[in-house]
Amino acid sequence: MVETERMTLEAQVIIRVPADIVRNKQRLEDVKEGLKKAMIKGLYEEGVEFEIRKINLKLI
């Protein structure tokens, strides 16, 4: 088994989402889930195990 260390990653990512998606709660939830899945897949393929505890989307 590979020895691992725990780390915390803090990041602010600004994304552009079409206004009709922002106004539709279900579609916005789908975007959040898609972002989460994309991040997990990419790092998992590199051998990095992690858990996303919170995703917040807000208008800026």
Side-chain angles (χ1 to χ4, degrees):
M1 178 156 205
V2 174
E3 181 180 344
T4 62
E5 299 285 339
R6 290 184 69 173
M7 301 175 74
T8 300
L9 168 68
E10 292 184 26
Q12 180 180 27
V13 180
I14 297 174
I15 60 172
R16 292 189 171 276
V17 180
D20 60 318
I21 292 175
V22 172
R23 289 188 286 267
N24 183 313
K25 285 189 178 192
Q26 182 56 54
R27 290 178 72 196
L28 193 54
E29 281 299 313
D30 292 345
V31 167
K32 284 170 60 174
E33 283 303 308
L35 288 168
K36 187 166 112 175
K37 286 178 184 178
M39 288 188 289
I40 289 170
K41 183 178 186 219
L43 289 174
Y44 180 78
E45 288 175 349
E46 294 300 320
V48 177
E49 176 187 336
F50 68 101
E51 158 189 3
I52 295 177
R53 295 186 178 188
K54 181 179 178 182
I55 290 183
N56 239 349
L57 289 180
K58 64 181 178 180
L59 293 174
I60 56 173

